[in-house]
Amino acid sequence: MTTHLLLGQTVGFDGNPLTEPWQDTVQFDSAGGVLVHGGKIVAVGNGAKLRADNPQAAVTDYGDALITAGFVDAHMHYPQTGMIASWGKQLIDWLNTYTFPEEARFGDPAYAADVAGRALDLALAHGTTTLTSFCTIHPQGVDAFFEAAAGRNMAVVAGKTCMDRNAPDDLRDTAQSAYDDSKALLAKWHGKGRAQYAITPRFSPTSTPDQLAALGALWSENPACLMQTHLSEQPAEIAWVKELFPRARDYLDTYETFGLLGANGLYGHAIHLEAREIARLAEVGAAVVHCPTSNTFIGSGLFDVMGLAGAQIRVGLATDTGGGSSFSMLRTMAAAYEIGQLRGMALHPAQLMWLATEGSASALRMQGQIGHLGADAAADITVLDLASTSAIAQRSSRARDIWDAVFPTIMMGDDRAIKEVWIAGVRHSATG
Ligand code: GUN
Ligand code: ZN
């Protein structure tokens, strides 16, 4: 088995720059190296020393490109790949007008396989090595996604999206079938290769109390699994939840009542939270996911990264494709920066890079395994060209330090900035 040595500028983290001074958490080497063997990172350190100590290693020299952990997208909808950037609607109308008709097509396994492959290839082209996806109600669409990910040896998290009300006839399951199908898919995929199953009620408005309770029961039978859903995205949605669950103390309570609040819970959006909700999320050790391009595109609001991280809640970062308007985690970091500015808080590029790698991995309870440039992590690696367009190159050429050089790529970069991606220690060559 070949040992590889990747040379270039390297950046990783050994702390959380949202809760500690960012300078104390960064490990940067302008002449670094990453030693890879057996699908894992064996060592990160000075490039010349690693080269001298490992003369057998096959060397790839990336010059002054930046070697980072691959990006981890902590919340997206692969079935919405084809309808990304659909115009003019806010959440509930957007779901009914664009999303549900598209999702109804995923009962066709050939169509699901085609879109799943496309979504994963687009992710890889943008430097994203892990996707966390909602699927549709169709078990065959879940199979299609996990099969496509296995074919690319990608670590992914996904689940059958359950809905038994407030959705079109052809997109509704039942409390019992949601439980049965989710249980069977979990048994089939969870822990198979690099796959992880997440129990996936879409959101409270599209599940009856019976369905929420059934999925809560399934989670209590499989507590090591993640449970992913949506929480407090738009004011009109929150008002609807109050109507549908008149006895609930707040939106989070509609999950909590049915056993769907826990340490392995992953709550997308989480923008308009009440004090009790924040306290409960922190108390149980749940994670929230910031979806900034979606939050601006669908008109949802300004997520409070620093407030929630400060409350000791784990925060991940995500595209939320296709409510999100980009497949790129670089663009997603840029949107997180812009939302921070609108809240009066300039997130440092180190904080943005951390969110897209370590933060998302931690939200997924995979810290140290993915999204980490350090020994024992999977060798899922992204190499960034910090001068990928003439506009970026003329700006980064006058950079004062590495962060001043990275920031233009965060703000203006796209798939052209992705020089190379490695998956589990293998150089990725495009399949699409
Ligand atoms: N809430 C419920 N379903 C969805 C979805 O597909 N996208 C977004 N952004 N929010 C949701
Ligand atoms: Zn979503």
Side-chain angles (χ1 to χ4, degrees):
M1 192 178 284
T2 311
T3 299
H4 289 277
L5 178 60
L6 285 56
L7 299 176
Q9 306 202 72
T10 54
V11 68
F13 297 90
D14 59 2
N16 179 344
L18 299 183
T19 54
E20 302 160 52
W22 67 263
Q23 297 89 337
D24 298 350
T25 67
V26 170
Q27 290 180 322
F28 171 70
D29 195 328
S30 60
V34 181
L35 194 69
V36 169
H37 185 80
K40 297 219 163 168
I41 296 172
V42 178
V44 179
N46 176 267
K49 181 163 182 351
L50 284 172
R51 191 172 197 162
D53 292 348
N54 298 276
Q56 83 290 5
V59 174
T60 305
D61 190 345
Y62 289 111
D64 58 7
L66 184 68
I67 303 173
T68 166
F71 299 138
V72 177
D73 188 342
H75 176 126
M76 58 86 69
H77 300 252
Y78 97 80
Q80 297 171 15
T81 298
M83 41 83 42
I84 191 170
S86 289
W87 183 84
K89 304 286 181 196
Q90 298 224 343
L91 180 59
I92 305 305
D93 288 342
W94 174 85
L95 285 170
N96 288 317
T97 307
Y98 298 119
T99 314
F100 290 159
E102 177 63 14
E103 292 195 3
R105 302 176 68 181
F106 284 72
D108 172 358
Y111 187 68
D114 179 41
V115 179
R118 200 176 341 140
L120 290 162
D121 288 339
L122 281 164
L124 289 168
H126 288 86
T128 300
T129 47
T130 287
L131 289 183
T132 311
S133 186
F134 286 63
C135 299
T136 62
I137 67 150
H138 313 95
Q140 51 275 44
V142 182
D143 287 338
F145 183 75
F146 280 125
E147 279 159 13
R152 291 159 179 79
N153 200 21
M154 290 172 73
V156 293
V157 180
K160 172 192 136 75
T161 297
C162 302
M163 299 197 274
D164 68 343
R165 66 167 162 174
N166 295 321
D169 289 351
D170 54 355
L171 273 184
R172 282 203 308 269
D173 50 17
T174 66
Q176 189 63 48
S177 74
Y179 175 90
D180 293 342
D181 289 347
S182 301
K183 184 176 174 162
L185 289 162
L186 193 160
K188 181 171 179 183
W189 290 109
H190 189 62
K192 184 168 178 194
R194 306 192 72 195
Q196 286 204 35
Y197 192 81
I199 295 163
T200 308
R202 180 175 215 119
F203 67 157
S204 304
T206 49
S207 288
T208 59
D210 279 355
Q211 181 169 80
L212 294 173
L215 295 174
L218 182 62
W219 198 19
S220 71
E221 290 152 21
N222 299 275
C225 270
L226 295 170
M227 188 289 303
Q228 61 175 348
T229 189
H230 296 87
L231 176 67
S232 296
E233 184 174 355
Q234 291 207 342
E237 170 211 16
I238 296 166
W240 192 24
V241 169
K242 287 216 163 85
E243 271 172 40
L244 291 168
F245 299 87
R247 283 198 296 276
R249 287 170 289 183
D250 45 44
Y251 196 151
L252 187 66
D253 201 28
T254 65
Y255 297 128
E256 186 167 3
T257 302
F258 299 106
L260 292 169
L261 176 64
N264 288 338
L266 200 56
Y267 301 85
H269 301 279
I271 301 169
H272 308 282
L273 297 176
E274 296 179 17
R276 191 201 81 91
E277 296 178 292
I278 296 172
R280 281 301 284 151
L281 288 164
E283 204 167 52
V284 304
V288 295
V289 186
H290 186 13
C291 306
T293 71
S294 170
N295 295 346
T296 51
F297 182 76
I298 308 188
S300 300
L302 307 179
F303 179 87
D304 183 8
V305 175
M306 296 311 277
L308 293 168
Q312 306 304 319
I313 297 172
R314 286 170 298 121
V315 181
L317 187 67
T319 62
D320 191 32
T321 308
S325 54
S326 175
F327 296 101
S328 168
M329 288 296 280
L330 291 170
R331 175 70 201 115
T332 302
M333 288 182 241
Y337 178 78
E338 290 160 353
I339 286 180
Q341 284 285 58
L342 288 168
R343 296 190 66 98
M345 160 62 61
L347 292 172
H348 190 272
Q351 294 173 319
L352 297 166
M353 286 286 287
W354 182 88
L355 278 167
T357 54
E358 302 270 357
S360 285
S362 165
L364 298 175
R365 295 272 180 215
M366 295 170 83
Q367 60 271 34
Q369 299 165 36
I370 59 168
H372 180 62
L373 200 76
D376 297 331
D380 292 347
I381 292 167
T382 290
V383 185
L384 293 176
D385 175 358
L386 300 180
S388 61
T389 67
S390 53
I392 295 172
Q394 61 87 37
R395 171 64 182 84
S396 58
S397 68
R398 61 164 73 182
R400 294 179 308 272
D401 59 31
I402 183 60
W403 296 114
D404 200 29
V406 170
F407 192 54
T409 286
I410 289 177
M411 294 309 300
M412 298 191 283
D414 52 30
D415 50 342
R416 289 168 291 181
I418 309 304
K419 202 175 174 73
E420 198 132 73
V421 168
W422 292 70
I423 303 172
V426 176
R427 193 191 306 264
H428 173 67
S429 51
T431 54

